[in-house]
Amino acid sequence: MIEFSIWDILRNLLLATRWTILLSLVSFVGGGAVGLLLLFLRISKRKAVRAFAKYYIELFQGTPLLMQLFLAFFGLGLFGIDVPAWLAAGLALVLWTASFLAEIWRGCVESIARGQWEASASLGMGRLQQMRYVILPQALKIAVPPTVGFSVQVVKGTALTSIIGFVELSKAGTVVTNATFQPFTVYGLVALIYFALCWPLSKSSQILERKLNVAHRNH
Amino acid sequence: MSLIEITEVRKSYGTNEVLKGINLDVEPGEVIAIIGKSGSGKSTLLRCINGLETITQGSISVAGAQLIDDEVHLKALRLKVGMIFQQFNLFPHLTAGGNVMLSQSVVKKTAKAEAEAMARKMLDRVGLGHKFEAYPDELSGGQQQRVAIARALAMQPIALLCDEITSALDPELVAEVLAVVRELAAEGMTLLMVTHEMKFARDVCSRVVFMHQGRVHEIGPPEEVFANPKTPELQQFLGMH
Ligand SMILES: Nc1ncnc2c1ncn2[C@@H]1O[C@H](COP(=O)(O)OP(=O)(O)OP(=O)(O)O)[C@@H](O)[C@H]1O
Ligand SMILES: [Mg+2]
């Protein structure tokens, strides 16, 4: 039997970590874009549009991410579409992330005083102009800490994609364990790597939040 | 033709009818004080004129333009009528100058240099030319309200709606804001103002509207309304003030 040094193990895990990071980035950026769209739908003047966004958000928040991954992976297969694991993983995570970000951001937008909407409306601004120049610049500042905080959930969420066969950090952990028979060492290292990814994110979210609370000024 | 024509305007929130058939014609250059008890519908009336609330029945027109509830018509109307709020509602992320420039650039697509020149002029007009770079939270309430007035004036409206614009101010700051309004009135700006400043209403306004339970209960020149109230409701209201 071949002996694996701890460096061999770590090297293999770190190589797979690239995919965890890439998938996290794709989910976060894609989810952010879809989430922004959802946010606009969610606060639309039209009731049907608002309802659509509301049900979308409830559906994706109310079902396990794992089921969404399965459905994206196997569901599309039913229609004869061959979905590679990376695509199903990316798609499900983007849609899942979007539902949470849209809801986080909606809260931020709604925390802006009604007077800001009224003043900008009375100056003749249309709804998109109000959002663009008055509401979002203020909401953005409040939104940063919870948004960064949520990115931790996205990183951890990518671990689930190992189940549909996407080789990221968790899946690599299983593969390496099968080759080395050192589950404790391997998963210990996997956990450490996740921690190294997530801790800076949650810490910066906390720092940002404290900074915003200390700063009385809104600019 | 009057500048602002309010005809049989009704407004309900659910089953609660707040405006019960308001008729009011405002001539160019008139300064109208709206007085009345809390809940009599004063704010609602102003908000309807600006399209912040949609009316249930009746019609409102400003300088011949009908108030119709779609974005194009509302925008056209709002370019003619500015509104000043009790809570100032300045944009906190912009400087005083930025506040006055924003809608010019965004709504009227005015070039930056021109918008800035206009902003400086309007801030000068309310006595705050030197505060161009100040953020709202660096200004006193009175100064904030004057910036809000400058912001509305920069859109060159033909009428201004003022809803208790001094009510959120410390007493010593009321005068500076009223002085600005007094000047606007003298320059011929058409003003509709909800106010509790009876002395101001008496001095500056051409007509006083007393609202009671969603109706114009009494209307007339200030000398008449204040010196010789006809209805017991107005007598009682004035007795309290
Ligand atoms: N958005 C709303 N939804 C439901 N009811 C409302 C709303 N706005 C106002 N009302 C009701 O309409 C009535 C008139 O309110 P309005 O604000 O016009 O009174 P007001 O004369 O301005 O009083 P105040 O002097 O207290 O400002 C009140 O009974 C109020 O409860
Ligand atoms: Mg009011």
Side-chain angles (χ1 to χ4, degrees), chain A residues 5-85:
Chain A
S5 76
I6 196 152
W7 295 116
D8 291 326
I9 295 173
L10 191 59
R11 194 172 55 86
N12 277 298
L13 293 179
L14 284 175
L15 285 174
T17 304
R18 292 177 309 175
W19 295 107
T20 291
I21 293 174
L22 184 66
L23 184 58
S24 302
L25 283 175
V26 166
S27 311
F28 197 69
V29 173
V34 178
L36 192 64
L37 178 73
L38 271 178
L39 166 69
F40 275 88
L41 300 182
R42 187 73 184 81
I43 58 177
S44 155
K45 272 188 181 160
R46 296 222 195 101
K47 210 171 170 183
V49 174
R50 278 203 310 272
F52 167 80
K54 179 165 168 259
Y55 293 134
Y56 174 99
I57 290 167
E58 282 177 1
L59 189 68
F60 277 85
Q61 293 196 354
T63 52
L65 175 57
L66 188 58
M67 294 307 126
Q68 293 164 27
L69 283 164
F70 281 157
L71 290 173
F73 190 56
F74 299 115
L76 291 174
L78 288 180
F79 298 97
I81 308 167
D82 190 23
V83 192

Side-chain angles (χ1 to χ4, degrees), chain A residues 170-181:
Chain A
S170 298
K171 182 74 177 174
T174 311
V175 173
V176 173
T177 302
N178 289 341
T180 60
F181 305 106

Side-chain angles (χ1 to χ4, degrees), chain A residues 45 114-116 118-127 129 133-134 137-138 141 216-219, chain B residues 47 50 52 71 75 78 81 83 85 89-93 102-103 106-107 109 135 137-138 151 155:
Chain A
K45 272 188 181 160
R114 208 168 58 124
Q116 295 288 309
E118 295 185 342
S120 48
S122 78
L123 288 163
M125 286 186 215
R127 211 164 155 79
Q129 294 173 333
Y133 297 102
V134 177
Q138 298 179 57
K141 292 206 172 110
H216 291 296
R217 306 262 290 265
N218 284 317
H219 41 84
Chain B
R47 295 166 58 81
N50 202 242
L52 288 176
E71 205 151 273
K75 186 179 155 187
R78 284 166 175 164
V81 194
M83 183 143 182
F85 302 85
N89 295 344
L90 290 184
F91 307 135
H93 59 298
L102 182 66
S103 55
V106 169
V107 180
K109 317 283 181 218
Y135 281 92
D137 60 2
E138 298 165 335
R151 181 173 70 175
M155 297 302 278

Side-chain angles (χ1 to χ4, degrees), chain A residues 129-152:
Chain A
Q129 294 173 333
Q130 292 178 286
M131 277 298 264
R132 164 77 183 77
Y133 297 102
V134 177
I135 305 300
L136 286 184
Q138 298 179 57
L140 207 63
K141 292 206 172 110
I142 322 169
V144 169
T147 303
V148 173
F150 181 72
S151 65
V152 173

Side-chain angles (χ1 to χ4, degrees), chain A residues 165-200:
Chain A
F166 182 72
V167 185
E168 38 61 74
L169 182 51
S170 298
K171 182 74 177 174
T174 311
V175 173
V176 173
T177 302
N178 289 341
T180 60
F181 305 106
Q182 299 180 35
F184 189 78
T185 315
V186 175
Y187 287 120
L189 286 171
V190 168
L192 274 179
I193 296 174
Y194 274 118
F195 185 76
L197 291 176
C198 294
W199 187 79

Side-chain angles (χ1 to χ4, degrees), chain B residues 7-163:
Chain B
T7 315
E8 281 303 319
V9 163
R10 289 171 182 272
K11 168 70 188 174
S12 306
Y13 292 108
T15 56
N16 179 19
E17 193 171 51
V18 176
L19 298 180
K20 299 171 180 161
I22 302 277
N23 289 292
L24 180 64
D25 288 349
V26 182
E27 303 303 322
E30 264 200 298
V31 178
I32 299 214
I34 302 173
I35 59 173
K37 274 201 306 206
S38 179
S40 55
K42 308 180 296 292
S43 297
T44 307
L45 178 60
L46 284 198
R47 295 166 58 81
C48 284
I49 299 173
N50 202 242
L52 288 176
E53 304 286 349
T54 37
I55 56 179
T56 321
Q57 263 183 58
S59 73
I60 295 177
S61 79
V62 177
Q66 283 286 331
L67 190 152
I68 301 170
D69 188 27
D70 66 50
E71 205 151 273
V72 178
H73 284 91
L74 273 183
K75 186 179 155 187
L77 176 102
R78 284 166 175 164
L79 287 177
K80 296 181 184 177
V81 194
M83 183 143 182
I84 325 274
F85 302 85
Q86 185 175 343
Q87 298 299 337
F88 329 136
N89 295 344
L90 290 184
F91 307 135
H93 59 298
L94 298 176
T95 59
N99 266 275
V100 185
M101 286 168 67
L102 182 66
S103 55
Q104 296 181 68
S105 335
V106 169
V107 180
K108 287 190 168 173
K109 317 283 181 218
T110 311
K112 187 165 181 283
E114 207 179 313
E116 189 179 330
M118 172 66 99
R120 290 197 186 279
K121 195 170 126 194
M122 290 306 146
L123 284 174
D124 270 336
R125 193 165 164 191
V126 298
L128 290 173
H130 58 295
K131 293 291 188 188
F132 192 93
E133 302 291 344
Y135 281 92
D137 60 2
E138 298 165 335
L139 299 172
S140 74
Q143 291 173 328
Q144 288 188 53
Q145 193 60 294
R146 282 147 66 198
V147 173
I149 295 173
R151 181 173 70 175
L153 290 177
M155 297 302 278
Q156 299 177 296
I158 51 182
L160 275 186
L161 311 172
C162 306
D163 191 359

